[in-house]
Amino acid sequence: VTGTRVNLLPYIEMPINPIFGYIKPKLSFQSISYQLDNVQPGEDDAPSVAVPMFSVDSGLVFERDMTLGGMGMMQTLEPRLMYVYVPAENQDTAPLFDTGSGSISSYNVLFRERRFFGGDRVGDDNHVALGVTTRILADSDGRERLKASLGQLYYLSDRVVGLNPDDAPETSGASDVFAELNALMTNEIDFRSTFRWEKDGTLANMSAGIQYDSGLRRAVTADYFKDSFQNEDIRFTMDWPLAPRWQFSTGQRYSITDADFRESSIGLVYDSCCWAVGMSATRNLQSDGEYNDRFVLSLELAGLGKISTAQ
């Protein structure tokens, strides 16, 4: 099935921003319509759906002065609450071109108005997202030295609209718990991490990493990942100058679980004032256990475009 899709999302929003927080009521109206070719006999070749959506995003900001390591700091406490309501509309005749259920993968993804990722479905919803963030900012330069967030979704009704007509309704009453912790250790080194706990308290996913970035073409990162299947990976990346116009880069992702490299890349670029030439080689482990090797040679003309070839 092929065709044309028109997706419109007009909305009215009235932000209210007092000094101590904010509240953003929003009324949206999503309209999706198709003109399809190659449909089966008797099937609708022009399905459409129109769904209103209502949300209210709100938060408060509390501040206090503090001293940490002899330096003046300001700490904030920022509770956040968002309510989303979307009624259920039958969309069984609509195709699936680019839409998936996705997943709530981080604290920020909790505060979304739409349940699906893509433009083919408007998922019904009736939930409250609750979260809290605290930050520590330096008085000297205003930079954020630490940020920690914790949040969860609470569903007020089942979700009956699925990607496919035979999908069972989603009946869970709450999402998993998500947290983030980021810290600026020095002006060039920062630490970042994410966590996801299942409702029974089991740690399902986590990531933690350190990044060094001097701002002078020198950057190094090291990350650790653990997913819900108990797979553990380590990733290392580096971008470093070898000479004034030569830049070296590499990236390695090693599976602790499989004792093997999942991804490996190495690259070299020569950058003149008005042109650049680069070469890179990558190796990726595919789902069937075989490796995919790729070599890329590229030529870039400043302001004109880029030509590359891959084998």
Side-chain angles (χ1 to χ4, degrees):
V1 176
T2 61
T4 302
R5 180 183 69 199
V6 177
N7 197 324
L8 302 176
L9 183 60
Y11 67 89
I12 298 174
E13 185 179 52
M14 189 179 67
I16 302 170
N17 296 294
I19 193 171
F20 53 82
Y22 63 91
I23 181 169
K24 297 178 181 178
K26 182 178 180 181
L27 180 63
S28 310
F29 188 83
Q30 180 135 28
S31 171
I32 307 174
S33 58
Y34 299 86
Q35 290 292 333
L36 303 176
D37 300 315
N38 305 322
V39 299
Q40 295 295 323
E43 291 188 355
D44 189 0
D45 64 354
S48 63
V49 65
V51 184
M53 299 186 291
F54 175 72
S55 68
V56 180
D57 192 6
S58 61
L60 298 172
V61 180
F62 301 95
E63 300 174 354
R64 73 181 182 99
D65 295 326
M66 61 181 296
T67 302
L68 188 63
M71 299 176 58
M73 299 283 184
M74 181 180 71
Q75 182 183 11
T76 71
L77 183 65
E78 306 168 32
R80 183 177 180 182
L81 183 149
M82 184 176 184
Y83 173 71
V84 176
Y85 176 75
V86 183
E89 292 289 342
N90 189 300
Q91 299 161 63
D92 291 347
T93 61
L96 281 175
F97 287 145
D98 64 356
T99 302
S101 58
S103 63
I104 301 175
S105 56
S106 68
Y107 173 80
N108 288 330
V109 182
L110 291 173
F111 299 93
R112 279 175 49 90
E113 294 176 307
R114 299 188 57 189
R115 187 156 57 88
F116 295 116
F117 293 80
D120 297 308
R121 293 288 184 274
V122 184
D124 58 315
D125 220 335
N126 186 17
H127 76 251
V128 174
L130 290 176
V132 62
T133 296
T134 183
R135 310 171 198 262
I136 295 179
L137 302 100
D139 288 345
S140 58
D141 55 12
R143 299 186 68 178
E144 185 179 273
R145 298 292 174 173
L146 183 141
K147 178 183 177 182
S149 300
L150 182 70
Q152 187 177 21
L153 286 182
Y154 297 91
Y155 298 103
L156 306 180
S157 61
D158 297 341
R159 283 75 65 209
V160 299
V161 176
L163 292 175
N164 302 293
D166 55 352
D167 287 349
E170 296 183 23
T171 59
S172 60
S175 72
D176 295 340
V177 178
F178 293 85
E180 293 183 353
L181 176 63
N182 303 323
L184 185 64
M185 304 170 68
T186 71
N187 289 336
E188 299 176 338
I189 300 175
D190 68 270
F191 169 82
R192 58 193 182 280
S193 60
T194 64
F195 305 89
R196 177 172 71 88
W197 289 275
E198 296 178 353
K199 291 180 282 293
D200 61 1
T202 303
L203 179 62
N205 292 69
M206 72 160 293
S207 67
I210 292 178
Q211 176 177 342
Y212 167 81
D213 189 347
S214 69
L216 301 172
R217 300 164 51 207
R218 294 172 170 85
V220 179
T221 63
D223 298 286
Y224 168 81
F225 303 91
K226 182 178 181 181
D227 63 21
S228 56
F229 300 102
Q230 303 304 309
N231 294 316
E232 296 180 89
D233 289 2
I234 296 175
R235 182 179 65 188
F236 172 81
T237 65
M238 182 173 67
D239 198 9
W240 207 265
L242 300 179
R245 296 192 179 278
W246 288 93
Q247 193 79 6
F248 170 79
S249 63
T250 184
Q252 311 292 329
R253 184 159 182 157
Y254 180 78
S255 170
I256 300 174
T257 307
D258 301 329
D260 201 358
F261 284 92
R262 294 184 180 273
E263 301 174 9
S264 183
S265 68
I266 186 170
L268 188 65
V269 174
Y270 177 81
D271 191 353
S272 179
C273 61
C274 45
W275 59 272
V277 62
M279 60 186 72
S280 64
T282 62
R283 164 169 278 201
N284 296 317
L285 183 62
Q286 302 177 109
S287 58
D288 59 3
E290 298 295 326
Y291 283 98
N292 178 41
D293 296 320
R294 188 166 182 255
F295 178 76
V296 177
L297 180 64
S298 64
L299 171 65
E300 184 169 355
L301 305 177
L304 293 179
K306 185 175 182 179
I307 303 172
S308 63
T309 180
Q311 178 65 46

